[in-house]
Amino acid sequence: MYDVVVVGGGTAGVAAAYTAAKNGLKTLLVEKKIHLGGSITSGLVLPVMNSGKSDINRDFFDKLAEEMAKYGAQIDFEGNKGWFDPEILKIVLDKLLTSVGVEIRFLTSVYSVEFDFHKNIKKLFLQQELLSECINKLYSNNSDCLRDVEPKMLLEYLDKIDSDNISKENKRLLEPIETRYVIDATGNCDVGKICGCNFIENLENETQPVTLRFIMSGIDMEKFAAFLRGIDADNEVSPIERIGEEIHLSTAYTWDKGSRWALKPIFEKAVAAGDLTEEDSNYFQVFTVAGCRGALAFNCPRIVKNVDITDITSVSKALIEARGSIFRLSRFCKKYFPGFENAYISNIADDLGIRVSRRIKGKYIYTERDIIEGKRFDNPVLEANYPIDVHSSAKDGSTLKKIGYYQLPVESLMSADVNNLFVVGRCISADFKAQAALRVQMSCFSMGEAVAKYISALRG
Ligand SMILES: Cc1cc2nc3c(=O)[nH]c(=O)nc-3n(C[C@H](O)[C@H](O)[C@H](O)COP(=O)(O)OP(=O)(O)OC[C@H]3O[C@@H](n4cnc5c(N)ncnc54)[C@H](O)[C@@H]3O)c2cc1C
């Protein structure tokens, strides 16, 4: 019997699991991939955005930054200590979470749940990665002719799983786990979906484009920084800082009106020359990466066509389109930016960057009005001032609305339908605009930490 099972070892999930175990709760963390970190590691989403000076529920983030610094994998850029190396983060998270006693189960997700009479989740049925299980089985039975039989056997095996109602013959695949509380940190509210919970309906146009991020390495950063200083002398969109021996910087361009985009003429030239498509130029943003000399993390390409993230065909097309765009953007950088002569694509994210998807209907639906009015709550989960950041597929359609400090109540992290189900991360109970401010990593860390503390207070 666990006190807490956290499903999803991403941004919010790692904070929840770490805090729960540190507070003495018997904690299991279930992650479908082979490492922790979620959007940060799988999606290469860097850095943690600055979201104000409050210290409410920031213990996990502070500890993480401290540990990352010990590995030379963290820097403090313009007062923001959330600049991390995403590969080292995988190692540090393993170490940090196991050090407080979190049990971690990789390559595992939730298949189904069992409720008690009070609509509490009593049991979770964990599902190991079917494919890897099947392949193991194939190897042991058919090592000689594996290539010939693999697809057929795989189908038969999956059929069997359906017809046998899973548990009898395939016990190893489905494991019942008893728990007192469940925290859904899957980003897409997968546990809520399995439980049949209600979700917040999106109105038309309440969607944000997806992005497949990548990293280029081998860049002469001194040369690139000198070039940026030349075209953006007032540093309006290109902050540059020397930290120790290394140059760190960021710069951006979008096809929207607004800031004085120093890179605008270069993008226009590349589009006119056919080196980029107009869509490739819709959003461009880069950040240096802590501990990785000569590397820049790209917050692009942003896919302007609408992608239904619950439809594999739609997601597959977006991935193919995005990788094509990554190649063009990398060639463009090499041709137009001094310092990129020897640069190459070193990483492409293995997850699509999803800004918003399913959101749970909670005990409190947090709204844009709450944010704008800076509504106060007794025991806030967080206090932040990150703007309402809505990316749009349409030219000049994106908005970044600056606001004062706002708080979030814990009731927005509680399912309205299932008593012992909490939801943290980008899939919380918030309307579209409020989620657009709350989805940043710092807020997700705080949500995980807050819920774990709340549960440990309930457990006494
Ligand atoms: C393109 C893009 C750029 C962004 N830029 C920034 C930025 O610069 N700075 C910033 O602070 N924020 C940024 N954000 C926002 C931020 O990164 C995310 O909103 C946040 O990290 C989401 O955290 P999460 O915990 O909800 O989900 P995630 O971090 O995605 O974690 C979800 C985890 O659950 C796992 N999982 C999913 N389903 C299951 C399942 N069924 N069973 C088990 N495990 C499962 C996943 O593998 C993953 O590890 C950006 C977002 C995007 C998409």
Side-chain angles (χ1 to χ4, degrees):
M1 165 71 95
Y2 287 91
D3 291 313
V4 188
V5 175
V6 180
V7 185
T11 320
V14 291
Y18 175 84
T19 311
K22 193 154 188 284
N23 279 282
L25 301 178
K26 188 169 160 54
T27 307
L28 177 68
L29 176 57
V30 172
E31 166 56 49
K32 72 175 180 184
K33 298 217 161 191
I34 61 165
H35 56 75
L36 302 177
S39 297
I40 311 178
T41 50
S42 300
L44 299 176
V45 176
L46 328 156
V48 175
M49 282 289 148
N50 233 338
S51 57
K53 294 201 182 330
S54 162
D55 57 5
I56 296 176
N57 291 317
R58 289 202 177 173
D59 297 349
F60 174 77
F61 171 70
D62 288 344
K63 179 73 181 164
L64 184 61
E66 186 188 312
E67 289 302 308
M68 289 293 284
K70 288 184 197 159
Y71 284 69
Q74 175 272 347
I75 56 156
D76 192 328
F77 183 84
E78 295 201 309
N80 175 6
K81 60 183 180 183
W83 285 50
F84 297 146
D85 171 342
E87 296 305 326
I88 301 297
L89 185 71
K90 295 173 185 170
I91 299 164
V92 169
L93 286 174
D94 283 347
K95 192 164 169 281
L96 207 53
L97 270 67
T98 51
S99 74
V100 290
V102 177
E103 284 177 46
I104 302 174
R105 204 73 69 78
F106 288 119
L107 290 168
T108 305
S109 56
V110 176
Y111 179 81
S112 63
V113 298
E114 191 179 303
F115 293 109
D116 66 13
F117 291 121
H118 308 288
K119 193 86 203 251
N120 278 310
I121 299 172
K122 199 169 97 186
K123 269 186 204 160
L124 291 171
F125 292 90
L126 299 187
Q127 169 183 245
Q128 294 173 19
E129 274 285 289
L130 290 179
L131 196 60
S132 54
E133 274 294 310
C134 293
I135 286 170
N136 281 343
K137 210 173 161 104
L138 284 166
Y139 266 111
S140 55
N141 294 346
N142 294 283
S143 51
D144 292 345
C145 52
L146 181 70
R147 294 290 150 232
D148 296 337
V149 298
E150 186 179 306
K152 189 164 166 278
M153 282 204 61
L154 199 63
L155 283 175
E156 277 174 12
Y157 192 60
L158 291 171
D159 275 344
K160 206 170 187 44
I161 287 167
D162 276 335
S163 60
D164 283 356
N165 209 10
I166 300 176
S167 45
K168 268 187 263 147
E169 201 178 16
N170 301 290
K171 278 209 177 95
R172 276 193 317 139
L173 291 177
L174 268 197
E175 185 186 1
I177 296 280
E178 283 190 67
T179 183
R180 293 191 168 86
Y181 296 95
V182 178
I183 301 179
D184 184 341
T186 58
N188 296 327
C189 218
D190 285 1
V191 182
K193 177 81 179 150
I194 290 166
C195 291
C197 292
N198 287 300
F199 295 104
I200 296 174
E201 298 229 348
N202 280 326
L203 305 174
E204 214 179 314
N205 291 332
E206 286 191 339
T207 168
Q208 297 209 43
V210 298
T211 293
L212 187 67
R213 298 185 60 147
F214 69 106
I215 295 181
M216 286 187 81
S217 299
I219 300 160
D220 181 338
M221 213 60 76
E222 298 279 349
K223 208 166 161 186
F224 185 51
F227 162 74
L228 287 177
R229 280 196 194 96
I231 59 166
D232 190 12
D234 52 9
N235 264 359
E236 196 168 334
V237 291
S238 311
I240 301 170
E241 203 177 313
R242 182 173 293 281
I243 300 174
E245 301 275 283
E246 291 178 35
I247 285 278
H248 282 278
L249 59 85
S250 159
T251 190
Y253 161 75
T254 88
W255 66 6
D256 295 327
K257 293 192 200 97
S259 299
R260 194 189 61 74
W261 301 118
L263 297 173
K264 189 171 194 253
I266 300 168
F267 274 88
E268 286 176 346
K269 193 170 161 195
V271 172
D275 290 323
L276 289 177
T277 66
E278 172 118 33
E279 290 183 354
D280 290 333
S281 76
N282 83 86
Y283 191 91
F284 176 89
Q285 191 175 28
V286 291
F287 304 91
T288 44
V289 185
C292 302
R293 193 173 213 140
L296 275 179
F298 287 64
N299 186 11
C300 50
R302 191 176 70 176
I303 302 303
V304 293
K305 288 198 190 84
N306 265 347
V307 177
D308 176 356
I309 63 107
T310 60
D311 173 24
I312 293 294
T313 310
S314 176
V315 169
S316 304
K317 279 188 188 150
L319 285 166
I320 292 166
E321 191 173 318
R323 283 190 277 265
S325 181
I326 287 173
F327 187 71
R328 287 190 296 278
L329 283 164
S330 69
R331 298 294 110 173
F332 154 77
C333 290
K334 283 171 78 71
K335 182 168 169 184
Y336 289 85
F337 294 151
F340 277 73
E341 295 78 4
N342 298 313
Y344 57 95
I345 299 169
S346 53
N347 318 54
I348 297 180
D350 58 40
D351 244 354
L352 203 52
I354 296 166
R355 293 185 168 84
V356 59
S357 56
R358 224 181 264 135
R359 277 161 293 130
I360 197 89
K361 198 165 204 176
K363 293 200 168 141
Y364 184 91
I365 300 178
Y366 192 70
T367 64
E368 181 188 15
R369 178 176 279 267
D370 292 332
I371 288 219
I372 290 170
E373 290 177 352
K375 192 165 169 181
R376 320 298 285 174
F377 297 90
D378 297 340
N379 300 320
V381 164
L382 57 85
E383 189 168 67
N385 67 355
Y386 188 78
I388 299 176
D389 184 5
V390 180
H391 289 244
S392 165
S393 299
K395 201 168 188 170
D396 296 325
S398 298
T399 52
L400 188 71
K401 188 168 176 177
K402 293 211 168 125
I403 33 186
Y405 275 89
Y406 48 88
Q407 296 186 339
L408 177 72
V410 75
E411 289 76 11
S412 296
L413 313 183
M414 294 173 178
S415 157
D417 303 300
V418 178
N419 295 324
N420 61 346
L421 175 64
F422 292 82
V423 172
V424 294
R426 66 166 192 257
C427 50
I428 57 156
S429 178
D431 73 15
F432 178 73
K433 291 278 182 66
Q435 192 271 1
L438 286 164
R439 70 164 188 270
V440 285
Q441 290 159 13
M442 183 60 85
S443 297
C444 292
F445 286 139
S446 296
M447 292 175 204
E449 181 173 330
V451 159
K453 285 179 179 164
Y454 183 85
I455 293 173
S456 63
L458 289 178
R459 294 284 301 139

